[in-house]
Amino acid sequence: MTDRTVPRTVEWIGDLDGHVSMIDQTKLSTELCMIECHDVESIHDAISKLKIRGAPAIGIAAAMGVVLGIRHYTGSDRAEFLEDLDNVCDYLAASRPTAVNLTWALDRMRRCARSSGQADISQLKVTLLEEAKRIRDEDAAMCRAIGRHGESLIKAGCGVLTHCNAGGLATSEYGTALAPLYTAHESGVPFRAYADETRPVLQGSRLTAWELQQAGIDVTLLCDNMAGSLMKDGKVDLAITGADRIAANGDVANKIGTYSLAVLSQAHSIPFYVAAPSSTFDLSVADGSQIPIEHRSPDEIRRGFGTLTAPANVPCYSPAFDVTPARLVTGIITERGMICPVDIDTIAAIIRSDTSGQDT
Ligand code: MRU
């Protein structure tokens, strides 16, 4: 996912009357195919069904979805247009609750519409499309900057363990947790990546292993319950994951299993890093206990990918995310630099409540 041999994760095709094209991530790693979304309902469906997933990518898709949702407004009443826009944003915000990048991007679209002095609604629609594309382009730049800030962590010959998918497929391009790996690889540093399979829907095996192989990076796949053994064998020098929301005190919500990995890392004295852009920080929540955690259908566990692997009616515990306490996080790699140690003061110093000016 570092060059254009693979299509962009999510892209706007054409002008205002165009559409959104995205890689259908439920089909990978066996099939690389695109979904074309022409209305806001198909964007909502794609996000809630994980056809597009990963915190920054769903923010970009939602911003583009806003344009699909309001472009057919035919009136000339600005207040009515803004009310329609709010309804579209509220609808998209409900598609997934944990990743703050989704509401962050939707809030940017709301602010863009309100701060634009344009009385002409047709011009305002074009301005909103430009804002959605800007969110996409800024994300790509932030990921590159994360790569530069995290590159020195990847030493020649080291082993890097990651969980879920925080690569190009989860962002506009390049990724967050995978960005330092891509940057080090481009600099010619030899290392080995280890990808946790990531039960229940296998983002690690279907997406991370696939995109690292596409980039020519040496990657080895393991089941989630093998990470401790791998560490004990001395194969892991550091772990890097992405994040869906980071609270003001540094608690990190990310894919279920991230917390276990952080505990295992501490038990083996292995540094545990999180990589995330400023759009993933939510300074309005004091700590991780206030982050809403999505629970998904028990059938993702009982009959993953259509095959029944458990009693059909057995109750399941199925949170999509967990919260890793800040004390287990060695550092957070952002587009503005490394936050280390991780606490309320070091976060406030780098991530101000105004995250609109990006230092990329
Ligand atoms: O349920 P998913 O696949 O959307 O979960 C994704 C993750 O947990 C990622 O690690 C996170 O969104 C960071 S993506 C750069």
Side-chain angles (χ1 to χ4, degrees), residues 17 92 157 262 270:
D17 59 354
L92 286 166
I270 290 168

Side-chain angles (χ1 to χ4, degrees), residues 4-324:
R4 291 272 68 82
T5 55
V6 173
R8 243 181 159 155
T9 303
V10 53
E11 187 58 293
W12 182 276
I13 308 293
D15 298 322
L16 189 57
D17 59 354
H19 66 279
V20 178
S21 177
M22 58 175 76
I23 296 177
D24 183 347
Q25 300 193 31
T26 59
K27 298 281 196 300
L28 285 171
S29 58
T30 49
E31 259 179 87
L32 175 59
C33 59
M34 309 301 291
I35 317 171
E36 315 298 332
C37 298
H38 296 265
D39 53 42
V40 65
E41 289 78 15
S42 53
I43 296 285
H44 186 289
D45 181 74
I47 294 173
S48 59
K49 293 189 176 148
L50 311 186
K51 293 175 187 171
I52 186 159
R53 33 63 54 204
I58 63 176
I60 297 162
M64 293 178 175
V66 170
V67 179
L68 295 178
I70 51 83
R71 67 177 167 179
H72 296 305
Y73 177 83
T74 50
S76 55
D77 182 337
R78 188 180 157 88
E80 187 180 64
F81 177 81
L82 292 177
E83 198 183 316
D84 278 11
L85 181 125
D86 280 340
N87 290 337
V88 168
C89 288
D90 292 347
Y91 168 67
L92 286 166
S95 58
R96 287 194 86 185
T98 302
V100 75
N101 307 62
L102 181 62
T103 42
W104 173 88
L106 292 170
D107 286 347
R108 255 183 80 161
M109 296 300 278
R110 292 183 214 251
R111 277 202 307 276
C112 170
R114 284 184 167 75
S115 64
S116 156
Q118 281 149 350
D120 176 27
I121 303 286
S122 52
Q123 192 50 48
L124 189 47
K125 292 176 187 172
V126 173
T127 301
L128 284 165
L129 175 57
E130 284 164 359
E131 181 72 353
K133 290 180 179 172
R134 199 172 299 120
I135 289 172
R136 174 203 64 197
D137 292 344
E138 285 176 9
D139 180 68
M142 287 192 285
C143 288
R144 295 274 168 183
I146 288 171
R148 289 194 294 277
H149 289 300
E151 179 182 5
S152 62
L153 297 174
I154 315 294
K155 312 273 187 236
C158 81
V160 191
L161 178 58
T162 191
H163 188 70
C164 192
N165 173 264
L169 288 165
T171 59
S172 169
E173 57 183 37
Y174 215 65
T176 56
L178 298 191
L181 280 65
Y182 285 134
T183 310
H185 181 66
E186 283 159 15
S187 301
V189 178
F191 63 90
R192 173 163 295 168
Y194 291 97
D196 271 355
E197 185 180 40
T198 316
R199 281 278 289 150
V201 292
L202 308 180
Q203 291 94 329
S205 56
R206 295 186 303 102
L207 309 178
T208 298
W210 180 80
E211 70 162 270
L212 289 176
Q213 274 199 337
Q214 293 284 319
I217 290 177
D218 176 358
V219 56
T220 298
L221 179 65
L222 58 146
C223 301
D224 303 338
N225 54 5
M226 298 168 184
S229 169
L230 185 77
M231 289 177 177
K232 196 157 175 259
D233 282 352
K235 299 282 197 277
V236 181
D237 296 286
L238 74 159
I240 312 182
T241 74
D244 283 82
R245 194 185 298 225
I246 303 175
N249 74 338
D251 290 352
V252 174
N254 191 51
K255 178 53 54 190
I256 188 72
T258 303
Y259 170 56
S260 315
L261 202 59
V263 171
L264 280 172
S265 297
Q266 188 189 48
H268 292 87
S269 303
I270 290 168
F272 177 84
Y273 291 95
V274 169
S278 49
S279 52
T280 302
F281 288 76
D282 183 356
L283 302 188
S284 76
V285 302
D287 60 54
S289 67
Q290 295 167 28
I291 298 177
I293 299 294
E294 175 185 13
H295 281 249
R296 296 196 56 90
S297 162
D299 276 339
E300 286 187 354
I301 298 178
R302 291 186 299 225
R303 53 175 86 237
F305 306 94
T307 304
L308 188 62
T309 56
N313 60 355
V314 69
C316 293
Y317 171 70
S318 189
F321 302 97
D322 58 27
V323 174
T324 299

